[in-house]
Amino acid sequence: AQSVTQLDSQVPVFEEAPVELRCNYSSSVSVYLFWYVQYPNQGLQLLLKYLSGSTLVKGINGFEAEFNKSQTSFHLRKPSVHISDTAEYFCAVAGTASKLTFGTGTRLQVTL
Amino acid sequence: DAMVIQNPRYQVTQFGKPVTLSCSQTLNHNVMYWYQQKSSQAPKLLFHYYDKDFNNEADTPDNFQSRRPNTSFCFLDIRSPGLGDAAMYLCATSVRDSFYEQYFGPGTRLTVT
């Protein structure tokens, strides 16, 4: 069975500072990993995905993530955050039967 | 713009009174999903359709039913809502071969009084 663990429920950060949101996964099969973002009162939106190939993947809005097989991690990073990045971020793993399993989310709170 | 639409955005129902939530899409995707998301929790898959093939999650209560009359529309019926069913309900769509790239609607927030 596949699962993901998001280690931080909330991450406060000042605007223009770098940020890392942590995600660890567990999977017994080939790993497909994703980050989704949920802005207040909206649905989820795909931020980036890792299917195969380069372990560093770039997504929308300047975010990137690195797949690390030895550490079973897929941490999300951004070198300089903006107020508009305030949102809930969900790590997800593709499981069997074409389903996604989401983590519990990390709330990124960007302040001035 | 192609999109996933959910109506209503906010729904209040009484304990035990049946309620239906609707989802429509203009993406022409063949897969549609219903998720339940409670506060500060991960979205939980209730069921999904591949075209008209219905796939129920093993732990989805019988109180939750779904209908997909055509490609564009999908409904979530809660036959007898309990206080524990208060949540955000998210509809999503995808193309079967890229199921991981799901397009979400804005959700319906259900309150049970």
Side-chain angles (χ1 to χ4, degrees):
Chain A
Q2 291 77 23
S3 67
V4 289
T5 302
Q6 294 184 245
L7 300 167
D8 306 299
S9 60
Q10 293 188 63
V11 173
V13 64
F14 290 111
E15 192 174 38
E16 299 184 1
V19 70
E20 179 180 83
L21 306 183
R22 297 182 292 168
C23 173
N24 285 88
Y25 70 89
S26 171
S27 176
S28 57
V29 296
S30 298
V31 178
Y32 300 145
L33 292 160
F34 313 89
W35 277 97
Y36 276 79
V37 60
Q38 186 177 30
Y39 298 104
N41 297 316
Q42 295 186 28
L44 281 70
Q45 178 184 4
L46 181 64
L47 201 56
L48 49 78
K49 62 190 178 212
Y50 172 78
L51 304 180
S52 64
S54 173
T55 57
L56 183 65
V57 292
K58 293 188 183 298
I60 60 173
N61 301 337
F63 283 92
E64 63 181 32
E66 185 161 16
F67 172 64
N68 188 317
K69 189 174 182 179
S70 63
Q71 297 186 7
T72 62
S73 68
F74 189 57
H75 300 335
L76 181 70
R77 302 187 185 100
K78 187 170 182 178
S80 176
V81 296
H82 189 267
I83 287 283
S84 60
D85 293 322
T86 294
E88 191 89 19
Y89 291 80
F90 291 93
C91 183
V93 61
T96 56
S98 303
K99 294 185 289 189
L100 287 175
T101 299
F102 290 93
T104 52
T106 296
R107 174 144 189 84
L108 176 64
Q109 181 68 53
V110 182
T111 55
L112 294 173
Chain B
D1 287 341
M3 55 198 314
V4 181
I5 301 163
Q6 290 188 246
N7 286 307
R9 292 292 309 275
Y10 301 90
Q11 175 74 58
V12 180
T13 191
Q14 293 177 333
F15 182 94
K17 186 175 181 180
V19 65
T20 295
L21 310 182
S22 74
C23 176
S24 64
Q25 56 134 337
T26 60
L27 297 161
N28 204 32
H29 286 169
N30 50 5
V31 190
M32 294 187 79
Y33 309 80
W34 279 105
Y35 290 88
Q36 180 192 63
Q37 185 182 23
K38 295 188 176 180
S39 182
S40 303
Q41 295 185 21
K44 177 181 179 298
L45 183 64
L46 296 173
F47 22 61
H48 66 285
Y49 281 91
Y50 283 137
D51 296 318
K52 281 197 170 286
D53 293 334
F54 178 70
N55 299 270
N56 196 33
E57 293 301 296
D59 58 354
T60 298
D62 293 339
N63 197 27
F64 290 84
Q65 304 285 317
S66 184
R67 296 169 283 136
R68 190 180 184 186
N70 54 52
T71 300
S72 300
F73 285 87
C74 195
F75 300 97
L76 171 61
D77 301 307
I78 309 177
R79 293 191 296 187
S80 182
L83 297 179
D85 296 327
M88 177 75 84
Y89 289 88
L90 297 168
C91 174
T93 72
S94 74
V95 176
R96 183 170 186 154
D97 292 341
S98 300
F99 69 90
Y100 45 80
E101 185 160 1
Q102 296 183 15
Y103 293 76
F104 283 79
T108 295
R109 182 166 296 284
L110 178 67
T111 300
V112 182
T113 62

